[in-house]
Amino acid sequence: MSGHSKWANIKHKKGKADAQKGKIFTKLGREIVVASRACGGDLGNFRLKIAVENAKAQNVPNENIQRAIQKGAGGSDGATYEELRYEGYGPGGVAVMVDILTDNRNRTAAEVRHIFSKNGGNMGETGCVGWMFEDKGQLRIPREDLKFSEDDLMMIALEAGAEDLEDDTEEFVIYTSPETMEDVRKALEEQHIVVSESVLSPMAQNTIEITDADQARKIVHLMETLEDHDDTQGVYSNFELSEALASEDF
């Protein structure tokens, strides 16, 4: 929706400070370890391939990537991470989901619950908001690197099986089903179109527009605090800022 901002785009625009790179590398490394463990280090596996590409896009050194793949494929070495998803509500009743990789379920659950309650929300039961989301592939295309028009980009993506294209000022975001994400990504690569990020993540089927600046500030703070938790791999919500708030720096 032109003129509005969803959480995924707000987060992406904020970027990451250099001081946070260690934390980013850690989270990306964990995802590679888990993906590699699930497929035995098979680089043809879609999840592992995406995890490696996202790590490279964030300039994670190749030796770190290879070490994480080998650690996962080796099985029992190091910590065993458990994949969890916590669900709840933020200020104003917006839906929030948090994907977690943790080696201590009880500790992480207590810490995430505390973040929710401290920031005007509450953690709910499994499934309380999950029904509002569906998995979608999201491919980000930097506008400055694109040698095609928006119409041409749309045509290439749609012919490969994409569902939609969103113009987000500095970049385009292509949305796909989980089944067609790889085909669309390959079609873009064949046209030498740079994909800066590829993710498969939950996307709200319907959104709640936030028009009050104070409420928006509280929601964004909750989302950022959840994102900053060491065990968090992704945070998702069904809110979007109104056109009047979309350009605000929260």
Side-chain angles (χ1 to χ4, degrees):
M1 182 178 284
S2 179
H4 292 61
S5 286
K6 296 183 284 293
W7 168 245
N9 295 336
I10 296 170
K11 176 181 67 175
H12 195 76
K13 287 176 182 176
K14 282 178 175 291
K16 300 289 184 179
D18 288 342
Q20 293 179 301
K21 281 205 177 291
K23 181 175 289 188
I24 296 171
F25 287 4
T26 298
K27 291 185 178 185
L28 292 168
R30 284 186 187 177
E31 172 60 19
I32 293 174
V33 169
V34 172
S36 180
R37 183 167 294 158
C39 69
D42 178 11
L43 289 172
N45 176 267
F46 181 62
R47 179 178 177 182
L48 179 56
K49 186 187 300 184
I50 292 300
V52 169
E53 288 179 356
N54 287 337
K56 288 181 177 178
Q58 291 294 332
N59 298 315
V60 176
N62 284 331
E63 55 266 31
N64 293 35
I65 293 172
Q66 292 304 317
R67 193 181 308 121
I69 293 172
Q70 292 167 5
K71 183 176 180 180
S76 59
D77 293 341
T80 299
Y81 294 108
E82 186 176 7
E83 295 182 86
L84 302 170
R85 173 169 287 172
Y86 296 128
E87 303 178 29
Y89 301 91
V94 300
V96 179
M97 293 202 308
V98 191
D99 279 345
I100 294 291
L101 278 178
T102 179
D103 58 359
N104 189 326
R105 172 194 285 252
N106 292 334
R107 169 186 55 77
T108 302
E111 291 173 353
V112 172
R113 189 180 300 277
H114 177 69
I115 291 173
F116 268 101
S117 62
K118 186 178 179 181
N119 291 279
N122 63 284
M123 198 162 85
E125 299 296 323
T126 299
C128 67
V129 301
W131 59 273
M132 303 180 191
F133 297 79
E134 58 181 342
D135 286 341
K136 292 290 182 185
Q138 298 175 46
L139 308 174
R140 294 184 176 273
I141 315 296
R143 183 185 292 274
E144 63 181 5
D145 296 326
L146 188 63
K147 296 179 174 61
F148 291 87
S149 68
E150 180 177 351
D151 288 342
D152 288 340
L153 176 62
M154 172 78 84
M155 186 62 66
I156 293 168
L158 291 178
E159 287 182 351
E163 296 180 351
D164 198 9
L165 181 145
E166 180 180 63
D167 182 350
D168 191 37
T169 309
E170 295 181 359
E171 62 186 1
F172 294 101
V173 185
I174 295 173
Y175 297 98
T176 76
S177 68
E179 295 76 19
T180 61
M181 180 178 173
E182 175 71 351
D183 290 339
V184 175
R185 189 180 63 82
K186 285 181 177 178
L188 295 171
E189 288 180 347
E190 288 172 0
Q191 297 294 330
H192 305 290
I193 296 173
V194 175
V195 178
S196 64
E197 183 181 48
S198 305
V199 294
L200 181 63
S201 62
M203 184 174 172
Q205 299 182 59
N206 295 290
T207 57
I208 296 175
E209 183 182 64
I210 304 300
T211 59
D212 180 77
D214 185 57
Q215 185 181 48
R217 193 170 292 107
K218 291 177 180 177
I219 295 171
V220 170
H221 187 264
L222 167 63
M223 301 292 285
E224 288 185 323
T225 306
L226 288 168
E227 285 273 4
D228 285 343
H229 190 280
D230 287 342
D231 296 336
T232 296
Q233 293 296 107
V235 184
Y236 319 100
S237 184
N238 67 339
F239 81 92
E240 64 177 26
L241 302 182
S242 67
E243 186 170 354
L245 295 177
S247 60
E248 293 290 328
D249 183 19
F250 291 104

